[in-house]
Amino acid sequence: MSVFQWFLLPVLVVVALVELAKFARDRRRLRLLRTAVWIVAAVLIADPNSATSLARLVGIGRGTDLVFY
């Protein structure tokens, strides 16, 4: 793991947990979507090759392009 991953993953986990706690209180769908986005971001940062695999699955050449689109 790179320094970037060691720094950002704990931050994203905390943000996702805060969003999940807020969702548990008010049950807004937007909160659930935001929580999902933070979790996906954490997974893609933890395993960058999964972005490339997912991109190729949907017909995009690079994982970076998938995230950008």
Side-chain angles (χ1 to χ4, degrees), residues 42-64:
V43 168
L44 291 178
I45 288 172
D47 183 21
N49 292 328
S50 63
T52 303
S53 299
L54 183 60
R56 288 188 177 147
L57 184 69
V58 296
I60 299 172
R62 300 182 310 163
T64 304

Side-chain angles (χ1 to χ4, degrees), residues 5 15 36-37 48 63:
Q5 290 170 315
V15 169
V37 168

Side-chain angles (χ1 to χ4, degrees), residues 16-67:
L17 289 174
V18 168
E19 286 291 334
L20 192 58
K22 288 180 181 180
F23 171 73
R25 277 187 271 140
D26 65 13
R27 295 287 183 185
R28 291 187 186 161
R29 287 185 215 168
L30 181 59
R31 289 242 188 249
L32 185 60
L33 177 64
R34 287 171 53 169
T35 303
V37 168
W38 289 119
I39 291 171
V40 167
V43 168
L44 291 178
I45 288 172
D47 183 21
N49 292 328
S50 63
T52 303
S53 299
L54 183 60
R56 288 188 177 147
L57 184 69
V58 296
I60 299 172
R62 300 182 310 163
T64 304
D65 293 335
L66 175 69
V67 172

